[in-house]
């Protein structure tokens, strides 16, 4: 007990990072074996304007970083663990930069720790890899907190708002998703503007075929993966009105905030969604205030972790904008069940053909919960932290082995005159 009578709480005493040997395991969704639909099926991407990079998403490097993991150990021996993407560069950032903010810290100070990591990396971060690394650290902190308190994460962020969690499925076979009991399905758009009028025609034909496979009443959504522009999106949506597409996802570059306003003016009754590749509450602020996006889709492993996702969610709730997170497996499940304006969750089909349900993180954990008949009972999340048990056979590689010898150290801070007899940092 402390002097105030409040029970003392364990502090963070160590942080380790790991990369994962091989493919198909961990938080990088796209680091999978060749032939998997996620990388080797026809999918429109920002690189589809270049013929050499249309065949496979690995050709332009979608899996170049790979997965990485963070393990935090508290002074009482409790460990928190999380995975995401970032590979060796992520491990380096943790070891050489973010570690200083974590060792000795109280893991309950989630807002404080996020702010220090975010602001400390602002000169090179704000978006992309640095914030993705912070996200995984933050998730490991929440996992540690839950294990210390012996509570599931969702109970620490507001508790449950439902008894079961409904899912829709993203994959190449919406008919299979319907058969498996999912509430809706999403397919990837195959052709980009760079493939001209013929590509436009093939897109419409493809979506017409998928609609015919699932019937007129099953929700069918389309993921455009940042690959379109405003005129193309307006034309495509117009040509597909008879197909009753439930939403058009991530049509534009994440930086084209104004483009969403034009889309909404052109098609006010259609739904447009985005946010998967946006970062932090600052990135979402304009999306939310513009009210031109019908659903927000942050990825908790990229946006800044659970700490920042809760802030994005609060802003969205004030505008009655639903939040349906992008993938992220159980990390998203705990969030969604705690948020009244998060109606359901995405399941990203992890099987090579997209026709069956497999763990999102591959074999990294022994007990990852997966939807059955399109839903998950919330009671399945009733385990400490995120409830995930690391597979003893998981192919983890301790990052100390890849960071040794370490890169050159930064210069030491200056020591001024009168400080231990040194001046200007001279030895």
């Amino acid at each position: 007990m402390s002097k105030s009578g409040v029970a003392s709480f364990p502090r963070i005493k160590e942080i380790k990072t790991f990369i994962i040997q091989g493919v198909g395991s961990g938080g990088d969704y796209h680091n999978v074996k060749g032939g998997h639909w996620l990388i080797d099926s026809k999918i429109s991407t920002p690189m589809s304007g270049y013929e050499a990079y249309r065949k496979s998403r690995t050709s332009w490097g979608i899996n170049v970083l790979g997965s990485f993991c963070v393990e935090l150990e508290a002074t009482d021996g409790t460990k928190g663990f999380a995975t995401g993407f970032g590979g060796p560069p992520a491990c380096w950032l943790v070891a050489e930069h973010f570690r200083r903010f974590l060792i000795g810290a109280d893991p309950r100070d989630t807002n404080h720790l996020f702010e220090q990591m975010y602001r400390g990396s602002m000169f090179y971060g704000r978006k992309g890899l640095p914030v993705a690394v912070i996200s995984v650290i933050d998730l490991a902190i929440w996992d540690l907190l839950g294990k210390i308190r012996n509570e599931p994460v969702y109970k620490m962020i507001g508790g449950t708002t439902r008894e079961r969690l409904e899912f829709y499925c993203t994959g190449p076979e919406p008919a299979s998703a319907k058969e498996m009991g999912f509430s809706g399905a999403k397919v990837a758009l195959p052709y980009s503007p760079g493939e001209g009028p013929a590509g436009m025609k093939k897109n419409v034909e493809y979506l017409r075929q998928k609609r015919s496979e699932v019937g007129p009443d099953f929700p069918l959504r389309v993921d455009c993966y940042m690959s379109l522009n405003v005129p193309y999106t307006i034309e495509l949506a117009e040509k597909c009105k008879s197909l009753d597409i439930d939403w058009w996802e991530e049509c534009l570059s994440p930086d084209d905030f104004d483009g969403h306003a034009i889309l909404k003016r052109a098609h006010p009754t259609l739904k447009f969604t985005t946010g998967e590749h946006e970062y932090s509450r600052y990135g979402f602020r304009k999306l939310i205030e513009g009210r031109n996006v019908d659903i927000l889709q942050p990825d908790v492993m990229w946006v800044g972790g659970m700490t920042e996702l809760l802030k994005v969610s609060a802003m969205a709730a004030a505008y009655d904008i639903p939040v349906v997170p992008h993938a992220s497996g159980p990390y998203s499940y705990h969030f969604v069940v705690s948020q009244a304006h998060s109606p359901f969750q995405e399941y990203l089909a992890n099987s090579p053909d997209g026709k069956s349900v497999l763990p999102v993180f591959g074999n990294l954990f022994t007990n990852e919960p997966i939807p059955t008949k399109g839903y998950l009972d919330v009671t399945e999340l009733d385990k400490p932290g995120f409830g995930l048990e690391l597979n003893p056979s998981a192919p983890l590689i301790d990052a100390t082995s890849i960071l040794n010898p370490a890169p050159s150290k930064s210069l030491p801070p200056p020591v001024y005159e009168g400080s231990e007899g040194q001046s200007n940092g001279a030895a």
Side-chain angles (χ1 to χ4, degrees):
M1 300 288 288
S2 68
K3 291 181 180 179
S4 65
V6 176
S8 60
F9 202 84
R11 291 180 172 263
I12 299 171
K13 77 171 186 180
E14 189 53 85
I15 180 168
K16 290 184 177 180
T17 59
F18 304 87
I19 59 171
I20 300 178
Q21 187 175 28
V23 298
S25 183
D28 188 341
Y29 312 116
H30 304 104
N31 196 29
V32 291
K33 291 182 179 179
H36 196 292
W37 77 267
L38 268 169
I39 58 172
D40 286 333
S41 60
K42 179 65 175 167
I43 295 177
S44 180
T45 78
M47 292 295 288
S48 294
Y50 307 97
E51 189 171 357
Y53 298 108
R54 290 174 186 166
K55 188 174 181 181
S56 171
R57 295 207 280 180
T58 58
S59 67
W60 51 263
I62 196 170
N63 64 336
V64 69
L65 290 172
S67 300
F68 98 109
C69 305
V70 169
E71 180 188 83
L72 297 172
E73 183 176 356
T75 50
D76 69 346
T78 306
K79 293 180 179 179
F81 187 92
T83 187
F85 91 110
C91 297
W92 192 91
L93 284 173
V94 173
E96 298 298 323
H97 194 180
F98 297 130
R99 176 185 174 90
R100 72 191 69 196
F101 305 117
L102 300 164
I103 301 302
D106 186 329
R108 294 173 295 181
D109 297 337
T110 52
N111 286 332
H112 180 63
L113 293 174
F114 174 85
E115 290 298 321
Q116 289 193 328
M117 291 187 287
Y118 180 81
R119 292 174 181 277
S121 60
M122 194 180 288
F123 69 100
Y124 68 86
R126 297 173 44 249
K127 297 180 184 288
L129 180 61
V131 179
V133 175
I134 294 171
S135 302
V136 182
I137 296 171
D138 182 80
L139 291 170
I141 292 172
W142 281 99
D143 189 52
L144 178 65
L145 282 173
K147 288 175 178 174
I148 292 173
R149 290 172 164 166
N150 198 34
E151 286 187 306
V153 169
Y154 79 87
K155 286 294 188 183
M156 298 189 292
I157 59 173
T160 188
T161 60
R162 71 207 73 182
E163 293 181 354
R164 73 183 199 178
L165 174 60
E166 303 285 346
F167 289 80
Y168 77 93
C169 180
T170 295
E173 301 292 341
S176 295
K178 183 178 180 181
E179 290 172 7
M180 289 187 284
F182 287 98
S183 62
K186 186 173 71 189
V187 296
L189 191 73
Y191 297 89
S192 74
E195 291 161 280
M200 172 70 81
K201 183 178 180 181
K202 290 177 181 178
N203 276 335
V204 176
E205 291 171 350
Y206 173 80
L207 295 176
R208 182 176 291 118
Q209 174 62 33
K210 294 303 178 184
R211 170 52 76 196
S212 70
E213 292 173 7
V214 298
D217 300 322
F218 188 68
L220 182 65
R221 296 140 187 166
V222 182
D223 187 348
C224 304
Y225 197 71
M226 309 175 286
S227 65
L228 309 184
N229 53 46
V230 170
Y232 192 96
T233 303
I234 292 173
E235 182 179 354
L236 177 62
E238 183 65 34
K239 290 178 181 293
C240 293
K241 276 189 172 179
S242 64
L243 304 180
D244 192 23
I245 300 300
D246 189 47
W247 76 53
W248 296 92
E249 178 173 325
E250 210 176 21
C251 301
L252 309 178
S253 162
D255 296 309
D256 191 1
F257 293 103
D258 296 336
H260 288 289
I262 302 173
L263 296 183
K264 204 61 184 170
R265 285 201 299 269
H267 294 298
T269 62
L270 300 184
K271 292 201 291 284
F272 295 95
T273 74
T274 195
E276 171 185 339
H277 293 99
E278 193 52 82
Y279 297 85
S280 86
R281 62 189 183 274
Y282 300 108
F284 276 89
R285 182 171 63 186
K286 192 169 182 180
L287 279 176
I288 292 169
E289 291 174 346
R291 307 189 84 156
N292 297 306
V293 176
D294 297 281
I295 295 172
L296 295 177
Q297 299 169 304
D299 188 305
V300 69
M301 296 195 300
W302 304 344
V303 71
M306 187 66 73
T307 299
E308 196 70 351
L309 178 55
L310 291 170
K311 294 181 174 65
V312 171
S313 180
M315 288 195 296
Y319 289 82
D320 292 322
I321 301 175
V323 177
V324 179
H326 172 251
S328 293
Y331 303 136
S332 286
Y333 307 166
H334 281 259
F335 167 81
V336 171
V337 300
S338 75
Q339 305 292 302
H341 63 296
S342 192
F344 46 78
Q345 170 59 27
E346 176 182 28
Y347 170 74
L348 186 63
N350 202 26
S351 58
D353 62 2
K355 293 182 179 181
S356 59
V357 177
L358 295 176
V360 173
F361 298 133
N363 67 348
L364 183 59
F365 303 107
T366 60
N367 65 336
E368 181 186 324
I370 56 176
T372 301
K373 297 181 180 179
Y375 71 91
L376 186 74
D377 285 325
V378 173
T379 54
E380 293 192 43
L381 303 178
D382 284 339
K383 298 174 183 177
F386 288 109
L388 298 169
E389 298 174 6
L390 187 63
N391 185 345
S393 302
L396 298 182
I397 300 173
D398 192 325
T400 55
S401 64
I402 64 171
L403 298 176
N404 187 22
S408 298
K409 296 288 185 181
S410 58
L411 293 174
V415 180
Y416 297 101
E417 219 172 308
S419 176
E420 297 182 1
Q422 296 178 354
S423 62
N424 299 323

